[in-house]
């Protein structure tokens, strides 16, 4: 079973709007990462947040982590049509090494 | 090359045949991961190497699946007696370090395996 669960499963917005995707997980983690995937092929790393961090920014991306609620959110501001992709959260448990992915959110940004 | 390379990019094989999928990680990356992904789902963990050894192979679905990394660089995922249910995109990733000091993972473009 997947450690992370994203919601919503699908999100459709207009260009220029902000997109927020959420990820929940079940066990303690060492870090949480967000990845983007176009057309079902290779994933691209977006941002990594460690368990002792609460918020991180990278360009138009903002990630928050709430370890008490075992959840994270990814905010994409001023979205563009090129942001259309699937977005996955992935966690690394404190006790292990595998990177475990959720089922993803399919984001569609309409021009 | 600069990134993770996977070959072949596409593989069609008949049910019951044996296949090998190759992954060339980024030079110097000690950690190497294999995942498989079905349409509309997230990547499913198969196996993780730290150097030459399999640090975690608990994701391999059964004994038809095997992976090696003999020199701590290139890895080969081997599937025996393929079944139609093995059809998926097989993704390989590498990272600079593994364990609890995970850094970002860099993914290849995947091998799309179709078993007919």
């Amino acid at each position: 079973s997947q450690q992370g669960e994203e919601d919503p499963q699908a999100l459709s917005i207009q260009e220029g709007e902000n997109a927020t995707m959420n990820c929940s997980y079940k066990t303690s983690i060492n870090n949480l990462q967000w990845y983007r995937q176009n057309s079902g092929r290779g994933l691209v790393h977006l941002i990594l947040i460690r368990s002792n961090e609460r918020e991180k920014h990278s360009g138009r991306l903002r990630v928050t982590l709430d370890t008490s609620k075992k959840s994270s959110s990814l905010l994409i501001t001023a979205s563009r049509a090129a942001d259309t992709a699937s977005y996955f959260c992935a966690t690394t448990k404190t006790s292990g090494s595998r990177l475990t992915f959720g089922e993803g959110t399919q984001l569609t940004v309409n021009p | 090359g600069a990134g993770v390379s996977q070959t072949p990019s596409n593989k069609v094989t008949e049910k019951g045949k044996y296949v090998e999928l190759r992954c060339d990680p980024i030079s110097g990356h000690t950690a190497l991961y294999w995942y498989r992904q079905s349409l509309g789902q997230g990547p499913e963990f198969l196996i993780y190497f730290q150097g030459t050894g399999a640090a975690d192979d608990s994701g391999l679905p059964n004994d038809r699946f095997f992976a090696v990394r003999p020199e701590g660089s290139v890895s080969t995922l081997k599937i025996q007696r393929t079944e139609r249910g093995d059809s998926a995109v097989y993704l390989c990733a590498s990272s600079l370090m593994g364990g609890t000091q995970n850094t970002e993972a860099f993914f290849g473009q995947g091998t799309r395996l179709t078993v007919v």
Side-chain angles (χ1 to χ4, degrees):
Chain A
S1 63
Q2 296 289 339
Q3 158 80 319
E5 295 182 5
E6 291 91 337
D7 89 275
Q9 288 186 324
L11 180 62
S12 182
I13 60 174
Q14 295 300 122
E15 210 164 25
E17 294 180 340
N18 295 341
T20 300
M21 288 160 273
N22 302 298
C23 169
S24 60
Y25 56 91
K26 296 186 174 71
T27 65
S28 296
I29 60 170
N30 182 57
N31 66 60
L32 185 146
Q33 304 180 41
W34 285 91
Y35 286 81
R36 165 198 168 117
Q37 185 179 41
N38 288 79
S39 306
R41 298 307 284 255
L43 287 90
V44 175
H45 179 266
L46 295 176
I47 198 163
L48 180 153
I49 186 164
R50 300 195 186 279
S51 59
N52 61 353
E53 297 176 310
R54 292 297 166 257
E55 187 170 315
K56 209 160 182 182
H57 297 252
S58 177
R60 294 184 295 113
L61 306 180
R62 172 176 169 255
V63 168
T64 62
L65 179 64
D66 186 335
T67 53
S68 66
K69 294 181 180 176
K70 292 187 169 57
S71 67
S72 172
S73 68
L74 170 68
L75 168 68
I76 303 174
T77 60
S79 64
R80 305 166 182 167
D83 294 329
T84 295
S86 293
Y87 291 82
F88 295 90
C89 69
T91 56
T92 304
K93 295 181 187 180
T94 51
S95 60
S97 309
R98 66 165 68 182
L99 194 59
T100 304
F101 286 83
E103 297 301 319
T105 293
Q106 172 61 49
L107 173 67
T108 302
V109 181
N110 302 299
Chain B
V4 177
S5 175
Q6 290 188 247
T7 53
S9 56
N10 288 283
K11 175 72 177 177
V12 180
T13 190
E14 292 181 346
K15 179 175 176 294
K17 298 288 188 183
Y18 167 83
V19 296
E20 289 189 353
L21 312 179
R22 177 186 168 107
C23 174
D24 283 82
I26 293 173
S27 178
H29 280 193
T30 61
L32 185 146
Y33 309 83
W34 282 100
Y35 292 83
R36 73 176 175 182
Q37 187 178 26
S38 299
L39 191 63
Q41 297 184 8
E44 174 193 5
F45 171 80
L46 295 177
I47 186 169
Y48 154 64
F49 287 91
Q50 183 68 8
T52 60
D56 183 353
D57 65 356
S58 61
L60 295 176
N62 52 59
D63 62 5
R64 295 187 297 105
F65 288 74
F66 189 69
V68 295
R69 196 186 185 199
E71 297 177 358
S73 178
V74 171
S75 177
T76 305
L77 178 66
K78 308 179 182 191
I79 310 174
Q80 297 178 320
R81 304 183 304 279
T82 51
E83 300 177 355
R84 293 197 178 88
D86 299 334
S87 297
V89 175
Y90 288 80
L91 297 166
C92 175
S94 69
S95 67
L96 193 57
M97 295 190 299
T100 56
Q101 300 301 318
N102 275 37
T103 54
E104 64 179 289
F106 294 82
F107 279 80
Q109 289 302 300
T111 294
R112 185 179 300 279
L113 176 66
T114 304
V115 181
V116 297

